[in-house]
Amino acid sequence: MIGQYVLDLQEVDETQLALVGGKGAHLGALSRIEGIRVPDGFCVTTHAFRQIMAQAPTVEDLVDQLAHLNPDDRETIRTLSAQIRRTIEGIAVPGDLATAITRALSRLGEQTPCAVRSSATAEDLPTASFAGQQDTYLNVAGPTEILRHVSRCWASQFTERAVTYRQRNGIDHRTVDMAVIVQRMVFPHASGILFTADPVTGNRKVATVDAGFGLGEALVSGLVNPDVFKVRDGEVVARTIAAKQRAVHALPTGGTQAVEVDPQRQEEPALTDAQAVRLVHLGRRLEEHFGCPQDIEWCLADDDFQIVQSRPITTLFPLPETAEQGNRIYVSVGHQQMMTDPMKPLGLSMWKLTAMAPMTEAGGRLFVDATRALSTPKGRTGLLDLVGRGDPLTRDALETVLDRDDFLPLRPDPAPANSPAGGAPAPIETDPAVVDGLIERSRASIDALRRDIATKAGPALFDFLPEAFEEHKRVLTDPLNHQAIMAGMEATWWLNDKLHEWLGEKNAADTLTLSAPDNITSEMGLALLDVADVIRPHPEVVAFLQNVEDDSFLDELPEYAGGTRARDAIEGYLDRYGMRCAGEIDITRPRWRESPSTLVPAILDNVRNFEPGAARRRFEQGRQEAWKKEQDVLTRLRALPDGESKADETKRMIKRVRTFIGYREYPKYDIVSRYFLYKQALMKEAERLVQAKVLPEKEDVFYLTFQELHDAVRSNRVDDRLVRQRKEAFQTYQALTPSRVLTSEGETVNGAYRRDDVPDGALAGLPVSGGTVEGRARVILDMGQADLEPGDILVTAFTDPSWSPLFVGIAGLVTEVGGLMTHGAVIAREYGLPAVVGVDRATRLILDGRRIRVHGSDGYVEILS
C-alpha cells in the first residue's frame, strides 16, 4: 500500500468496494483469478475523493439542492451538476496525494500511456450497473496529465447522466464515493464486449461476443456496428460480420482518434471462430467466480486476451430455483392473474400456500412448472388447447420452445389407469340453484373464518392459519365449484364456435352474456354508481372530495351538508368490496378499506359523467340487448337446414352460459375476502413486533415469508440485514418485465400473433369483447390517477377486478396483458365494451390523448391521430 490514498490492483478484492468502488473491486478480483490477464495498474481510493470534497464546502450545498430535484428536471440538473464538476476540477491535488499517485505511476513507468477510469461505490453492482455513467480517459501519459484526469474522474461523479441515474434508482448522492483506476494502456488489434448470457433472450447457455477493430470505444459510442458471434457449448452457432468502416486508435501525442479502416479489411472478422470460443471460455470462468452472468469488456493484443472490466448483467430475468434435472418450461402466473408486477416475499409465500397448484418464484413473480404436462403427447395437446383458448400468445410462446425438438423430447403417454367405480361424474345441471348454493357455502365459510381468526393471536394464530388455508383450498377445489366455472366457459366457447360456423357471427357470446346474473365484479362497478347517486346532490361534499389527499377523509365528511349520508354510502361499499385493490393476489398490497382515497377519483368521475339511476338502467339495458340478440340468433338459426335442432341446442347453451358465466368471478372474490382477514390478523402481529422494538415498521413483515414471520412471532427476533436485502432485491425486480414463458436456460419467450388480417400500422391483440369504438385514448397505469370523460378508451398494462369501477365510464378497453377468460375480458363483455387485450407495448405505443379505434371483434387497434 502506498500511503492511504493508493492501492495496487493486486492488493484489491471484492471486500473493499467502499474503498475502491465497484469497478476497482471487480478489477482487483479479476487480477487474482489464475489465467485471467488484467492490465497492471493501481487504484486511487475513496479516501482521496473525500479529502478533495472536504476542500469544497460549496459542493455540499449544491448536492443538497440536487437531492430535492425531480429526475425529469433536466435543465436544473444540468446547471447544478456542471457547477459541481467545475468546482471539483478546480481544486489543486494536495501534495501528499499527488506524491502517492506519482509514486504509483512510476512503477508502471512515468511516461507509460494509461487508461484513467472512474470507479464509484454504487457501480457495477448486481442491482445497479451504472455502466457508462461516469467517465473514462484513454491514452493519458505523464504525471501532470494523469493528475488532471484523476480530477476529471472525481468530477464525473456529477455528470448529468450519473446524477439522473442515481435519482431514478433512489440512490442518495451523498452516499456514493468515487475511486479512480489507473491502468497500463493496451493497444489492441480487436476489442469489444462479451455477454456470458444472451442479453436479448436471457439464455444463459448462449454467450454473445461483440467485436470490432482497435479500441472498444468505437463499439461503445456506436461509431460502428460490431461483428456478433453466438457461442453455445464451445461452438459458434451464429455469426454476423459487419462492415467496420471505422476504428478508434491511440494517438502518439495522447488521447484517441477515429480512423478509416482499409476498405479491404472492413468486412474481415475481428475475431476467428476459435478466438471467440476461447474468449467465451474465459468468460465462463469469470461467471463462475462471480456467481452470475457477466458483461465483460475485453481486448485482444498479440493473440492474448486481456480483461479490462467485468460487471453483472443486471437486466436478466432471474431463474426459478429447482431441484429437478433437465430442461424445464415455466408459465407465468401473473399473466393469468392480471398482476405482472413483482410481489413481496410475504405475498409470494401466502399465494403459494393457498394456491391450487405448486408454484415456483423468480424475479418476484410466480411461475408454474409445465414441464411434466408438456412431456407427453396427450398432456401437451391438452395444455396447449386449454392455454390457446384463453391466450394465444402463451400458446405461441410454448410452441416456440417446443418446436426445438431437442429441448423437451416427448415421452409416451402413461398407461391408462383403471376407471373408478361409477365412471365420470354426471354433467352439472343448468340450474341457478347450483350457483346460489356455491355462493352461500362460500359466505358461510368466510363468516366462520372471520369469527375464528378474531380469537387467535401470537403462536396460536400461526397454529390456526394452516387449517384456514386447508379450508380455503377445500372450498375452491370443490368439484362442483370447478364444474360451475367450466360450464360457463365451455358454453361461451360452444356459442362462439357454433354461431360462427352456422351464422358467420364473430364472438356472439359477448352480447349474449350482457348483464348476466351473479357477477360479483360487475356488480362492484355498478354499486359505485349508486354511491355517486348519494353524493351528487351535495355540492359541498363533491368539492371536499375533489381536494382529498389522504385516507382520513371519511372521518371529516360529516362536517359537510350531506356528508354523513356520503360517508355511510362509501362505508357500505367498503364493507362489501373493501378487501379489493389493484394487484390483489399480493396480500401486501393496500386494500381499499386500508386506503379508501383510491376510490375517490372513480367516484368523482361517476358524479360528473352519469345521471341518477345509471346503475339500474345500465344493467337493464344490457339484459334487454342480450334478450334481443338471443331472439335474433334463434330466428336466423331456424331458417337454416335442420334449423329447429340448431336453435334448440343454442337456446339450451344460452341459458347455460347466462346461468354460470357470472359465477366465473366469484372464486376470486372468495380468495381476496379470505386474504384480507389473513392480512388483518398478520398486521396485528406486525404491530406487536414494532411495539416490542423487533421491527422499526410494521410493513417490514412484507419482506419476510410466512414461515419467517411465524418464526419472528415465536422468537421475537428478525434479521434486519435480511429485510434490507429483500427490499433492495424487490427494487431491482420492479425494473424487470416478466415474460409469458420462461425456460430453465433463462430464455424469456412472449409469443407472437401469427396473423395476416391486421391492417398496416395497426396494433394486433386478442379480441375478447366485440364491437368497434373510436375515441380518446387515456393511458392510465394507476387507478387512483384516473380522470375519465364519456367516450374515453382505457389503455393500461393489465386490469384485475379492482379496475371494474372504471369500466362503467369508458367506451372501450385496450390492455397489454390478458386472455379470453381473464377478469378484464369478462367484465368488458359484461358491460358491452369493445376490448382488445394482449397488445404488446400498448401503453408506450399509444400516446395519452390520441384518437384510436378499437376493433373488439377482429382484435386490433388503429391509431388515428
Side-chain angles (χ1 to χ4, degrees):
M1 180 172 177
I2 305 173
Q4 61 175 325
Y5 298 124
V6 176
L7 289 173
D8 189 272
L9 279 181
Q10 293 285 339
E11 299 177 87
V12 173
D13 63 28
E14 294 143 298
T15 66
Q16 296 167 289
L17 187 144
L19 188 63
V20 298
K23 188 176 284 134
H26 275 268
L27 282 169
L30 285 167
S31 67
R32 294 162 175 257
I33 301 173
E34 186 177 351
I36 301 296
R37 288 205 56 194
V38 176
D40 293 338
F42 59 90
C43 179
V44 183
T45 68
T46 55
H47 288 316
F49 176 72
R50 285 196 291 273
Q51 181 177 345
I52 293 296
M53 294 294 284
Q55 295 184 39
T58 58
V59 168
E60 188 171 339
D61 292 337
L62 295 171
V63 172
D64 283 340
Q65 293 179 49
L66 274 181
H68 293 94
L69 293 177
N70 186 305
D72 295 323
D73 188 354
R74 302 286 296 277
E75 190 58 41
T76 310
I77 289 174
R78 182 180 299 117
T79 301
L80 287 175
S81 58
Q83 192 175 345
I84 294 171
R85 291 197 305 277
R86 284 194 301 271
T87 303
I88 293 172
E89 289 183 37
I91 298 170
V93 179
D96 56 343
L97 175 53
T99 299
I101 293 172
T102 53
R103 282 180 182 168
L105 180 63
S106 67
R107 292 180 55 247
L108 299 177
E110 199 170 81
Q111 296 300 320
T112 296
C114 293
V116 183
R117 314 170 72 195
S118 63
S119 178
T121 54
E123 101 181 282
D124 294 345
L125 307 178
T127 56
S129 77
F130 266 83
Q133 300 307 313
Q134 284 95 24
D135 289 344
T136 290
Y137 303 97
L138 301 178
N139 197 27
V140 181
T144 301
E145 285 300 296
I146 292 291
L147 288 173
R148 186 167 73 88
H149 284 84
V150 167
S151 288
R152 293 181 71 183
C153 279
W154 287 329
S156 76
Q157 169 82 323
F158 296 98
T159 61
E160 180 187 349
R161 62 186 181 274
V163 168
T164 302
Y165 188 97
R166 284 195 295 272
Q167 295 197 188
R168 290 196 188 284
N169 283 274
I171 298 171
D172 187 338
H173 305 299
R174 288 166 293 235
T175 65
V176 181
D177 290 328
M178 177 70 79
V180 181
I181 308 298
V182 180
Q183 284 179 283
R184 186 190 303 274
M185 234 352 244
V186 178
F187 301 102
H189 158 74
S191 56
I193 311 293
L194 161 63
F195 297 97
T196 63
D198 190 312
V200 177
T201 68
N203 196 314
R204 297 336 192 243
K205 292 197 172 183
V206 176
T208 301
V209 178
D210 289 0
F213 294 130
L215 293 166
E217 271 48 45
L219 303 187
V220 174
S221 65
L223 195 62
V224 297
N225 291 324
D227 296 341
V228 180
F229 299 82
K230 301 279 188 182
V231 179
R232 180 180 178 125
D233 298 331
E235 179 183 354
V236 174
V237 295
R239 75 177 65 73
T240 302
I241 306 304
K244 299 169 289 297
Q245 298 174 339
R246 311 194 70 171
V248 173
H249 290 292
L251 292 170
T253 55
T256 61
Q257 182 179 41
V259 299
E260 297 291 330
V261 174
D262 184 333
Q264 293 183 330
R265 294 189 58 223
Q266 288 180 4
E267 296 193 20
E268 287 181 8
L271 295 177
T272 66
D273 282 7
Q275 287 171 330
V277 169
R278 179 154 53 97
L279 175 61
V280 170
H281 179 69
L282 292 175
R284 293 292 181 213
R285 292 178 61 187
L286 298 185
E287 180 180 69
E288 183 177 358
H289 176 86
F290 290 115
C292 62
Q294 297 288 298
D295 166 357
I296 299 165
E297 297 175 26
W298 58 269
C299 51
L300 177 67
D302 300 323
D303 199 35
D304 188 15
F305 284 107
Q306 297 198 48
I307 306 300
V308 295
Q309 185 54 286
S310 184
R311 61 175 68 90
I313 306 175
T314 59
T315 56
L316 297 176
F317 200 87
L319 292 175
E321 292 185 9
T322 180
E324 300 284 350
Q325 299 298 309
N327 292 334
R328 317 298 297 176
I329 300 177
Y330 304 97
V331 177
S332 165
V333 172
H335 285 80
Q336 310 305 312
Q337 290 293 336
M338 297 297 94
M339 217 295 271
T340 57
D341 291 342
M343 296 168 66
K344 296 184 178 75
L346 184 62
L348 290 166
S349 63
M350 287 291 287
W351 190 261
K352 289 167 72 174
L353 285 167
T354 54
M356 301 303 109
M359 294 179 184
T360 186
E361 61 190 76
R365 279 81 169 185
L366 290 167
F367 295 85
V368 171
D369 186 342
T371 310
R372 186 184 300 275
L374 295 168
S375 296
T376 63
K378 284 185 179 178
R380 181 174 296 189
T381 299
L383 183 59
L384 290 176
D385 285 349
L386 181 63
V387 167
R389 281 282 191 179
D391 182 8
L393 287 177
T394 299
R395 175 172 184 147
D396 185 81
L398 287 171
E399 289 177 331
T400 298
V401 177
L402 295 171
D403 283 347
R404 301 165 193 155
D405 294 335
D406 58 341
F407 189 84
L408 192 66
L410 281 171
R411 296 183 286 105
D413 287 312
N418 293 329
S419 298
I428 189 172
E429 295 284 341
T430 303
D431 183 355
V434 172
V435 171
D436 293 342
L438 286 167
I439 291 173
E440 186 50 44
R441 264 184 270 180
S442 167
R443 287 175 179 164
S445 178
I446 291 170
D447 287 344
L449 172 63
R450 184 179 291 107
R451 287 193 306 272
D452 294 343
I453 205 168
T455 66
K456 305 294 189 294
L461 172 67
F462 289 89
D463 292 338
F464 165 76
L465 281 173
E467 300 173 18
F469 298 162
E470 287 307 307
E471 168 67 5
H472 177 133
K473 290 191 277 191
R474 186 196 66 76
V475 171
L476 292 172
T477 55
D478 179 343
L480 192 61
N481 183 59
H482 179 70
Q483 284 179 289
I485 294 170
M486 291 308 299
M489 293 170 65
E490 288 167 352
T492 300
W493 298 335
W494 188 96
L495 286 166
N496 282 336
D497 290 347
K498 291 298 184 183
L499 294 181
H500 185 261
E501 176 188 343
W502 293 337
L503 299 176
E505 285 264 358
K506 282 187 179 180
N507 304 317
D510 295 354
T511 306
L512 293 167
T513 54
L514 289 172
S515 297
D518 300 311
N519 189 318
I520 189 72
T521 307
S522 66
E523 289 169 8
M524 179 171 68
L526 296 176
L528 205 62
L529 289 173
D530 292 334
V531 173
D533 285 354
V534 174
I535 291 170
R536 191 179 293 105
H538 305 291
E540 288 185 32
V541 171
V542 174
F544 168 71
L545 291 177
Q546 288 169 341
N547 295 293
V548 163
E549 294 182 354
D550 58 47
D551 293 317
S552 64
F553 75 96
L554 287 172
D555 296 330
E556 301 171 45
L557 269 174
E559 299 172 16
Y560 301 90
T564 300
R565 288 194 65 220
R567 182 197 60 191
D568 292 347
I570 296 173
E571 287 283 2
Y573 187 86
L574 292 172
D575 287 344
R576 177 83 164 129
Y577 306 109
M579 76 294 290
R580 311 220 79 148
C581 67
E584 60 194 8
I585 69 169
D586 182 353
I587 198 173
T588 72
R589 292 287 191 107
R591 312 282 135 174
W592 289 343
R593 170 54 80 183
E594 297 168 318
S595 184
S597 61
T598 305
L599 291 171
V600 170
I603 292 172
L604 290 172
D605 281 348
N606 289 348
V607 168
R608 183 175 66 249
N609 297 333
F610 292 94
E611 296 294 326
R616 184 179 63 258
R617 286 195 304 275
R618 283 182 68 107
F619 187 82
E620 181 58 26
Q621 180 184 348
R623 199 177 64 79
Q624 289 293 331
E625 286 184 35
W627 183 82
K628 290 175 184 175
K629 184 68 173 180
E630 177 179 357
Q631 301 313 304
D632 172 64
V633 164
L634 295 178
T635 299
R636 291 160 62 198
L637 284 173
R638 290 188 180 106
L640 298 176
D642 197 23
E644 286 298 331
S645 173
K646 289 183 172 73
D648 288 346
E649 197 173 3
T650 299
K651 188 169 184 175
R652 285 196 300 273
M653 281 298 179
I654 292 172
K655 182 180 179 183
R656 191 166 179 80
V657 78
R658 291 191 64 80
T659 298
F660 291 113
I661 198 62
Y663 182 71
R664 164 75 178 83
E665 292 293 295
Y666 203 87
K668 186 74 171 287
Y669 179 77
D670 179 290
I671 292 170
V672 296
S673 296
R674 295 174 193 274
Y675 262 40
F676 191 37
L677 294 173
Y678 303 151
K679 182 178 185 180
Q680 289 173 308
L682 292 175
M683 294 314 290
K684 288 179 182 175
E685 300 305 315
E687 288 167 3
R688 292 188 186 99
L689 291 173
V690 171
Q691 290 166 4
K693 301 193 183 312
V694 176
L695 288 173
E697 297 178 354
K698 63 182 181 180
E699 287 79 13
D700 284 349
V701 299
F702 295 161
Y703 297 94
L704 303 175
T705 66
F706 177 79
Q707 185 57 53
E708 289 165 350
L709 177 53
H710 183 183
D711 295 341
V713 169
R714 288 187 182 278
S715 67
N716 253 18
R717 288 197 302 271
V718 169
D719 183 345
D720 295 338
R721 185 176 57 179
L722 177 66
V723 171
R724 189 166 57 253
Q725 289 172 345
R726 294 263 178 85
K727 288 181 177 180
E728 291 171 357
F730 180 75
Q731 202 169 21
T732 67
Y733 296 156
Q734 288 178 303
L736 300 175
T737 301
S739 62
R740 287 172 170 81
V741 170
L742 178 67
T743 75
S744 52
E745 292 185 349
E747 186 176 8
T748 57
V749 191
N750 263 311
Y753 294 107
R754 314 294 177 179
R755 298 172 53 183
D756 56 10
D757 60 342
V758 176
D760 290 344
L763 307 179
L766 178 66
V768 295
S769 184
T772 300
V773 65
E774 181 180 320
R776 179 181 67 156
R778 293 309 318 273
V779 180
I780 298 172
L781 301 179
D782 178 355
M783 178 183 160
Q785 303 299 317
D787 181 13
L788 296 165
E789 299 288 346
D792 283 348
I793 297 170
L794 174 62
V795 180
T796 191
F798 53 81
T799 64
D800 60 13
S802 71
W803 286 72
S804 298
L806 296 188
F807 282 28
V808 298
I810 60 176
L813 174 70
V814 179
T815 69
E816 294 179 342
V817 177
L820 189 63
M821 283 297 171
T822 50
H823 299 278
V826 171
I827 303 307
R829 291 193 292 271
E830 174 72 14
Y831 288 164
L833 301 174
V836 180
V837 303
V839 180
D840 186 39
R841 297 177 297 147
T843 60
R844 282 168 281 178
L845 296 175
I846 301 173
L847 299 180
D848 186 56
R850 296 285 292 270
R851 287 195 69 77
I852 62 174
R853 185 179 296 127
V854 178
H855 296 262
S857 300
D858 296 312
Y860 62 87
V861 180
E862 292 180 284
I863 301 174
L864 302 177
S865 64

